[in-house]
Amino acid sequence: MKRKNGLILTDILKGIIIGGGAILPGVSGGVLCVLFGIYRPMMELFAHPIKALKKNMKLFIPVIVGWAVGFFLFAKVLDVVFSRCELYATCLFVGLIGGTVPGLYRQAGKNGRTKGDVVVMAGAFILLFAMLLTVRFGGIKGQITPGTFWYVFSGVLWGLSIVVPGMTSSSILLSLGLYQPLTAGISAFDMAVLIPWGLGMVMTALVLGRLINHLFLTNYSGASHAVVGIVLASTLAIIPIQYGGVLQFVICVLCCAAGIACAYLMDKFEITGDNR
């Protein structure tokens, strides 16, 4: 019995880490699921819900409980952070997200790298970067008013970050100006935010989970390189370009460096976890 209770507590702890990672910019919930051995059962759940629930019910319940605790706890923390120091928080997350790119690139080429993979990566980068720059400097960002449609859209992006290991939706949401209102709504348990966001996330995971899993199984290298291009483009697009003086700029650089250092440590932890 003690061993069973220990396993349950371990699964709850895994869920807390995955839930917290899911909302932290630069941390991929999908990667954490892979790290903790939950990714395959999760993909089975999306592909065959009833069968997977019967098979892994004892795993899913504590993990889901832990995920909810970690997710909503970190949402509250991030809401406070962004409300008090948005510029510094953004720079920290630029470093945190950008710092994952070398590890993602290395992982994408673990089975070899072809010219076609590089073209796919460059194409994904150019397409998304052009779109995000248009949003940022074309006046579109100022026209985005958080509401039901955009919260569903945010849920769709979050769903993709769950089923695609390495992808993080947070940087795209930051570039659109949706990240802060979304985390504020989640931390406040605002149903006008939670319901459309949750529907978008669940529907994306259920509809695309099986397809994306098949894509990674059949063309891992191409799909992984596309993720690298997406992460790199969404990171560069959120770099602040206006500062209130030299001191503020220096602090922002230090925040970015701290984010890169955290990403490096996480990368080391992930490697250790894979090798055990």
Side-chain angles (χ1 to χ4, degrees):
M1 181 63 69
K2 288 183 179 180
R3 183 174 182 272
K4 288 185 178 180
N5 290 338
L7 288 174
I8 292 173
L9 290 175
T10 299
D11 289 337
I12 291 176
L13 179 60
K14 289 179 180 179
I16 291 174
I17 296 172
I18 293 171
I23 200 167
L24 281 173
V27 183
S28 168
V31 167
L32 291 175
C33 287
V34 172
L35 178 63
F36 291 130
I38 298 172
Y39 184 75
R40 286 300 175 194
M42 181 183 71
M43 297 307 292
E44 288 181 15
L45 178 64
F46 294 146
H48 307 286
I50 297 177
K51 181 180 178 181
L53 281 174
K54 290 180 179 179
K55 179 181 177 182
N56 299 300
M57 180 67 75
K58 293 182 179 180
L59 169 66
F60 288 140
I61 292 178
V63 168
I64 291 173
V65 170
W67 182 92
V69 172
F71 188 84
F72 287 103
L73 176 63
F74 275 82
K76 187 65 177 178
V77 171
L78 288 174
D79 180 34
V80 173
V81 169
F82 269 93
S83 63
R84 296 186 179 181
C85 48
E86 181 177 357
L87 178 64
Y88 299 142
T90 300
C91 290
L92 176 66
F93 294 145
V94 165
L96 188 57
I97 301 168
T100 66
V101 172
L104 288 176
Y105 183 75
R106 183 180 63 251
Q107 188 68 16
K110 69 177 184 178
N111 297 328
R113 182 175 289 114
T114 66
K115 291 182 179 179
D117 295 329
V118 176
V119 170
V120 169
M121 181 177 66
F125 171 82
I126 292 171
L127 180 61
L128 183 60
F129 192 57
M131 291 173 58
L132 294 178
L133 287 184
T134 300
V135 169
R136 183 173 181 179
F137 298 109
I140 298 176
K141 181 177 179 179
Q143 299 174 13
I144 295 178
T145 302
T148 301
F149 170 81
W150 288 110
Y151 291 136
V152 171
F153 174 79
S154 300
V156 170
L157 289 180
W158 231 299
L160 286 173
S161 70
I162 292 174
V163 298
V164 180
M167 181 175 174
T168 173
S169 61
S170 305
S171 51
I172 299 176
L173 294 175
L174 280 166
S175 68
L176 297 176
L178 293 171
Y179 187 79
Q180 185 176 0
L182 181 65
T183 53
I186 291 173
S187 67
F189 290 92
D190 185 348
M191 291 298 112
V193 176
L194 285 173
I195 292 176
W197 167 78
L199 285 174
M201 179 173 62
V202 172
M203 290 303 297
T204 300
L206 290 176
V207 173
L208 297 181
R210 192 171 185 178
L211 174 63
I212 292 174
N213 187 43
H214 176 73
L215 179 62
F216 270 83
L217 287 175
T218 56
N219 189 15
Y220 173 85
S221 187
S224 297
H225 280 85
V227 170
V228 175
I230 290 171
V231 173
L232 183 59
S234 56
T235 302
L236 293 177
I238 63 173
I239 295 176
I241 57 175
Q242 294 182 339
Y243 304 92
V246 176
L247 178 60
Q248 190 176 69
F249 175 76
V250 171
I251 295 175
C252 286
V253 171
L254 292 175
C255 288
C256 184
I260 294 174
C262 288
Y264 174 78
L265 292 175
M266 287 191 298
D267 184 53
K268 288 297 183 182
F269 173 73
E270 181 183 339
I271 293 173
T272 301
D274 289 341
N275 288 338
R276 280 186 299 195

